[in-house]
């Protein structure tokens, strides 16, 4: 729809036309989310649960050859007929980001590092990356889309050595073309910090994992959405919040409160998928009941989420995930649901897989 500027000398002669134009212009800037249901019926939640269940634990698919190092936080995507997984490694100093490849989603081979340690930067010792703009359609291409001629990754960054020590915020990295083991470039400054003036009460201490999607329909009025978990100075639990952007570089917080919280323990590591007109958020919960476990919530507008109150999608049951079964990345391929998750147990911190159907090893 086009709007034509009318000089002032003509505008005062046609107040009715101007009024109509102003109303239409205002309507164009009203996000679709304002007109969508804010809750999801229980019958729909039940259908989603049946569609995403993965009761068959396949086992460990990726672990570090050095048992003293921990792997974490898979993001799985597809390019040129090949599967790739970005993941993070903690070696005692901090986080680095690595890449692995697979033909069948079961056997994985490490390629190399994408983000590593640096000196005298705000993120010198922490660069835990998460691939951005992966196709969110359930059973879709799982392609990683670009923006502005680049591929993007958000990452947890910080300067302090140790396990999630010091100030932690969100940085943005970019690269083109994608499949190289060379280092990605990074924006010089973080895009979100807990000390920002607009930081909300639940994110004033640390900001952890982020997940960035491209909402092509701009349901919220913005094309790029970042879901991230954070902890406040007084809110010592982790909740999931939202930030929005038009260019992947400048981000603003959405709303005053978290989207998902239990006001205790952890809600974190969101992954968003789209099933028709419904959005599903996979995330993990921890410590608001024993252990760590996989959950989901549903939404029509990407902002108001109905939490699933039924059984966990995945919970500890095996030696290798007896302590924690958490941090999801879920894909549906050729009719099978693959639920990758971080398992902590007898084999240390590894990446494991559960599926909707039993698979022959």
């Amino acid at each position: 729809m086009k709007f034509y500027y009318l000089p002032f000398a003509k505008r005062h002669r046609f107040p009715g036309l101007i009024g109509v134009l102003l109303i239409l212009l205002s309507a164009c800037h009203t996000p679709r989310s304002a007109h969508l249901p804010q809750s999801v019926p229980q019958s729909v939640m039940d259908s989603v649960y049946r569609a995403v269940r993965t009761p068959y634990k396949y086992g460990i698919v990726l672990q570090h050859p050095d048992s003293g190092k921990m792997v974490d936080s898979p993001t799985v995507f597809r390019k040129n007929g090949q599967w790739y997984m970005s993941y993070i490694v903690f070696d005692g100093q901090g986080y680095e980001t690595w890449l692995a490849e697979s033909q069948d989603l079961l056997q994985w081979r490490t390629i190399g590092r994408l983000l590593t340690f640096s000196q005298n930067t705000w993120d010198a010792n922490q660069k835990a990356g998460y691939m951005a703009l992966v196709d969110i359609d359930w059973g879709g291409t799982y392609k990683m889309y670009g923006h502005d001629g680049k591929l993007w990754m958000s990452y947890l960054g910080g300067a302090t050595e140790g396990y999630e020590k010091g100030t932690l915020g969100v940085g943005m990295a970019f690269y083109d073309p994608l499949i190289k083991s060379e280092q990605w470039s990074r924006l010089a400054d973080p895009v979100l910090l807990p000390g920002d003036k607009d930081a909300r009460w639940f994110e004033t201490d640390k900001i952890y994992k982020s997940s960035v999607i491209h909402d092509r329909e701009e349901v919220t009025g913005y094309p790029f959405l970042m879901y991230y978990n954070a902890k406040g100075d007084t809110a010592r639990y982790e909740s999931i919040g939202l930030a929005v952007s038009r260019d992947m570089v400048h981000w603003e917080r959405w709303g005053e409160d978290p989207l998902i919280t239990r006001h205790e323990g952890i809600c974190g590591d969101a992954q968003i998928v789209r099933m028709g007109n419904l959005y599903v958020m996979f995330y993990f919960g921890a410590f608001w009941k024993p252990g760590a476990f996989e959950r989901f919530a549903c939404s029509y507008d990407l902002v108001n989420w109905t939490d699933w109150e039924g059984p966990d999608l995945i919970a500890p049951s095996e030696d290798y995930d007896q302590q924690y079964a958490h941090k999801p990345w879920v894909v549906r391929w050729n009719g099978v649901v693959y639920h990758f998750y971080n398992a902590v147990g007898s084999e240390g911190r590894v990446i494991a897989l559960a599926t909707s159907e039993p698979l022959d090893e």
Side-chain angles (χ1 to χ4, degrees), residues 19-337:
V20 170
L21 288 174
L22 290 175
I23 291 171
L24 290 174
L25 183 60
S26 175
C28 287
H29 290 282
T30 300
R32 285 185 55 230
S33 58
H35 308 291
L36 295 171
Q38 295 190 1
S39 63
V40 179
Q42 185 62 46
S43 59
V44 175
M45 300 294 293
D46 292 340
S47 296
V48 170
Y49 175 68
R50 291 191 294 270
V52 304
R53 287 183 69 237
T54 52
Y56 303 99
K57 289 190 174 179
Y58 178 82
I60 298 170
V61 295
L62 189 68
Q63 62 188 129
H64 203 285
D66 181 345
S67 60
K69 297 183 179 181
M70 303 185 292
V71 299
D72 211 334
S73 299
T75 303
V76 176
F77 59 99
R78 190 169 173 83
K79 181 178 176 64
N80 296 333
Q82 185 91 344
W83 290 100
Y84 294 91
M85 178 197 295
S86 68
Y87 64 96
I88 62 178
V89 174
F90 179 79
D91 68 352
Q93 177 179 341
Y95 284 125
E96 295 180 301
T97 304
W98 289 69
L99 187 69
E101 64 179 357
S102 174
Q103 293 287 343
D104 60 4
L105 291 166
L106 303 178
Q107 307 299 319
W108 292 88
R109 182 181 71 88
T110 294
I111 300 175
R113 285 179 290 194
L114 301 180
L115 295 175
T116 189
F117 303 122
S118 55
Q119 295 183 345
N120 302 319
T121 60
W122 77 273
D123 54 2
N125 289 296
Q126 310 289 343
K127 296 185 186 70
Y130 321 103
M131 294 299 186
L133 310 184
V134 177
D135 178 14
I136 65 173
D137 284 340
W138 183 243
T141 66
Y142 297 103
K143 174 184 176 181
M144 187 177 171
Y145 290 94
H147 170 69
D148 193 28
K150 306 178 185 70
L151 294 166
W152 294 84
M153 181 193 330
S154 63
Y155 66 95
L156 175 157
T160 305
E161 290 189 21
Y163 186 72
E164 298 180 350
K165 300 293 185 181
T167 299
L168 299 176
V170 179
M172 297 298 299
F174 54 91
Y175 196 71
D176 185 21
L178 172 61
I179 306 305
K180 301 284 186 181
S181 60
E182 304 166 9
Q183 298 292 295
W184 283 41
S185 299
R186 311 187 313 280
L187 299 182
D189 299 311
V191 297
L192 292 178
L193 283 175
D196 292 339
K197 291 181 179 180
D198 61 345
R200 296 161 292 185
W201 58 273
F202 64 88
E203 59 178 343
T204 53
D205 182 22
K206 295 182 188 297
I207 300 177
Y208 296 98
K209 181 180 177 179
S210 52
S211 179
V212 178
I213 67 169
H214 186 181
D215 173 23
R216 297 180 183 279
E217 298 180 359
E218 298 193 15
V219 174
T220 63
Y222 291 84
F224 304 117
L225 309 183
M226 179 191 294
Y227 296 85
Y228 61 94
N229 42 303
K231 179 172 64 176
D233 289 326
T234 56
R236 302 302 298 170
Y237 44 85
E238 289 183 40
S239 305
I240 298 173
L242 174 64
V244 295
S245 175
R246 299 194 187 280
D247 60 7
M248 293 290 290
V249 175
H250 304 92
W251 293 86
E252 57 185 277
R253 273 100 167 161
W254 178 283
E256 298 180 359
D257 296 310
L259 307 182
I260 299 283
T261 188
R262 293 279 175 152
H263 299 286
E264 60 178 327
I266 299 174
C267 296
D269 290 39
Q271 176 204 357
I272 309 297
V273 304
R274 180 174 55 195
M275 299 181 178
N277 67 339
L278 183 73
Y279 297 90
V280 178
M281 177 196 293
F282 297 104
Y283 73 96
F284 85 89
F287 313 134
W288 37 271
K289 62 180 185 177
F293 35 84
E294 303 283 61
R295 306 292 299 173
F296 76 93
C298 294
S299 174
Y300 291 112
D301 63 5
L302 289 165
V303 174
N304 296 284
W305 294 88
T306 301
D307 222 344
W308 171 247
E309 298 295 343
D312 296 329
L313 293 179
I314 294 179
S317 65
E318 309 297 325
D319 288 345
Y320 59 81
D321 67 5
Q322 62 187 347
Q323 186 174 1
Y324 302 139
H326 64 337
K327 303 186 177 183
W329 193 269
V330 188
V331 303
R332 184 177 185 273
W333 189 252
N334 290 336
V336 178
V337 181

